[in-house]
């Protein structure tokens, strides 16, 4: 009889468990509860330079991850990695991550050539001047706008690979480059180019940042002036008005170099080196150019 009692109690518990298990609402609530605890953590590196990873994921996600890691671990083995399957699985997970990063790197805007590596977290815009020679290794030095100094091509490559960072590398800024478009509207890539060439408003002595300026068509669009970096000049709102509504005039001597004529006949040469007052008795009329 005693054995029967225990049997009944056990049976009751199993039935209760079964009811719970097959009570869809209860089960769903429980699934939600556990789902809310999903996480994926990578601990701080240990003294030996390793990290412990632990997490909780949806079973299907876990299955996919397992499949991917296994497939890659097997591939590593076929490629001659003779470490154990466990070790290869660990390496494989890291490779998956790196592949994801490099996939991001492959994203290049076909129109501008701008390469964007995206990841959540920090966002850094580096205007790095590189040339074909930099990329082929003939000239290992690029120049970084933000730091103002030269940087090694290898450093640029490292930046591109830095995780948790969004890096935008603008391609070769060839200031002589002519890339006119038909429209009057100025594409962003032209804007960027002009702002890198002319850091501030190009009115004599003005220091308003080019990024806050209008871009003026040096030769009016209506008079055949192209929408092209060579014909676009940053002018702050005030000086844009001065050029449009007063007798101040200028001519682009060459991109980045402007000759201004004031209403009272004085001449100023504005170039990347700054503003120079030209002492000349001869009246240089921009219209002569
Ligand atoms: Zn042009
Ligand atoms: Zn200005």
């Amino acid at each position: 009889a005693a054995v029967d009692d225990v049997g009944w109690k056990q049976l009751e518990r199993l039935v209760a468990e079964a009811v719970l298990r097959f009570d869809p609402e209860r089960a769903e609530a429980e699934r939600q509860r556990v789902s809310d605890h999903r996480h994926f953590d990578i601990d701080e590196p240990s003294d030996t330079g390793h990290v412990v990873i632990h997490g909780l994921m949806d079973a299907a996600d876990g299955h996919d991850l397992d499949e991917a890691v296994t497939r890659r671990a097997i591939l590593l083995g076929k490629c001659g990695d003779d470490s154990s399957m466990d070790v290869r699985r660990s390496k494989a997970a890291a490779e998956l991550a790196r592949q994801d990063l490099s996939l991001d790197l492959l994203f290049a805007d076909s129109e501008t050539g701008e390469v964007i590596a995206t990841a959540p977290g920090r966002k850094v815009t580096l205007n790095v001047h590189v040339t074909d020679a930099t990329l082929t290794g003939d000239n290992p030095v690029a120049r970084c706008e933000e730091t103002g100094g030269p940087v090694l091509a290898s450093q640029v490559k490292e930046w591109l690979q830095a995780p948790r960072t969004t890096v935008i590398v603008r391609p070769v800024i060839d200031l002589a480059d002519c890339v006119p478009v038909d429209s009057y509207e100025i594409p962003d890539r032209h804007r960027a180019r002009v702002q890198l060439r002319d850091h501030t408003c190009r009115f004599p002595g003005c220091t308003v940042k080019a990024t806050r300026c209008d871009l003026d068509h040096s030769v009016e669009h209506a008079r055949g002036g192209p929408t092209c970096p060579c014909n676009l000049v940053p002018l702050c709102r005030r000086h844009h008005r001065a050029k449009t509504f007063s007798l101040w005039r200028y001519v682009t001597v060459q991109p980045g170099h402007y000759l201004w004529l004031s209403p009272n006949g004085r001449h100023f040469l504005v170039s990347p080196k700054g503003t120079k007052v030209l002492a000349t008795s001869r009246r240089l009329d921009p219209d002569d150019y």
Side-chain angles (χ1 to χ4, degrees):
V3 170
D4 279 350
D5 283 348
V6 171
W8 275 112
K9 269 181 188 158
Q10 274 183 338
L11 191 59
E12 268 172 348
R13 210 161 52 223
L14 283 172
V15 168
E17 223 179 273
V19 169
L20 197 71
R21 209 177 272 272
F22 294 105
D23 176 344
E25 268 175 45
R26 278 295 262 288
E28 173 57 17
E30 180 66 1
R31 193 187 67 79
Q32 278 294 343
R33 191 187 65 77
V34 177
S35 277
D36 287 347
H37 286 87
R38 275 176 297 180
H39 63 100
F40 191 82
D41 293 316
I42 297 164
D43 287 353
E44 291 293 309
S46 69
D47 291 344
T48 59
H50 297 87
V51 291
V52 172
I53 295 171
H54 43 97
L56 178 70
M57 25 170 74
D58 180 86
D61 289 347
H63 174 78
D64 287 348
L65 182 59
D66 188 40
E67 287 269 285
V69 167
T70 304
R71 198 162 51 226
R72 195 163 276 252
I74 290 170
L75 212 75
L76 280 173
K78 282 183 178 164
C79 290
D81 187 329
D82 57 3
S83 44
S84 73
M85 184 61 177
D86 277 344
V87 170
R88 274 183 281 138
R89 282 177 59 85
S90 173
K91 290 179 181 174
E95 285 212 340
L96 287 174
R98 275 193 293 273
Q99 189 192 36
D100 185 70
L101 290 174
S102 62
L103 275 179
D104 282 341
L105 289 184
L106 288 180
F107 175 76
D109 191 313
S110 58
E111 210 182 328
T112 64
E114 200 167 88
V115 179
I116 302 180
T118 313
R122 278 185 301 146
K123 177 169 175 163
V124 181
T125 302
L126 297 164
N127 287 302
V128 183
H129 298 236
V130 293
T131 64
D132 289 353
T134 310
L135 296 174
T136 54
D138 294 336
N139 170 14
V141 181
R143 193 167 67 78
C144 178
E145 281 277 313
E146 278 65 19
T147 62
V151 290
L152 287 173
S154 55
Q155 177 71 69
V156 177
K157 279 178 196 156
E158 241 173 67
W159 282 339
L160 282 171
Q161 289 157 359
R164 297 177 59 214
T165 304
T166 297
V167 181
I168 299 175
V169 175
R170 297 191 196 286
V172 185
I173 309 288
D174 182 348
L175 302 180
D177 208 357
C178 267
V179 279
V181 294
D182 290 334
S183 65
Y184 174 77
E185 283 71 38
I186 299 162
D188 283 347
R189 63 182 190 279
H190 282 188
R191 223 167 260 288
R193 226 172 248 242
V194 171
Q195 286 161 357
L196 285 165
R197 181 192 64 204
D198 301 334
H199 298 263
T200 61
C201 166
R202 293 291 83 187
F203 186 87
C206 185
T207 57
V208 173
K209 287 215 180 318
T211 47
R212 299 180 48 214
C213 286
D214 297 336
L215 291 190
D216 182 47
H217 281 78
S218 179
V219 175
E220 283 172 60
H221 195 246
R223 289 174 53 198
T227 298
C228 180
C230 69
N231 191 46
L232 296 171
V233 183
L235 290 180
C236 70
R237 192 52 58 85
R238 180 164 156 238
H239 292 132
H240 201 183
R241 289 222 177 90
K243 185 248 179 177
T244 309
F245 300 112
S246 80
L247 290 171
W248 277 97
R249 270 179 294 159
Y250 77 94
V251 67
T252 301
V253 180
Q254 69 178 70
H257 300 256
Y258 312 98
L259 176 66
W260 282 86
L261 177 66
S262 79
N264 58 11
R266 293 181 73 196
H267 297 95
F268 302 88
L269 188 65
V270 179
S271 75
K273 286 181 185 155
T275 296
K276 213 169 112 186
V277 182
L278 295 183
T280 170
S281 52
R282 195 164 76 85
R283 191 183 160 88
L284 305 167
D285 196 313
D287 285 345
D288 294 343
Y289 282 81

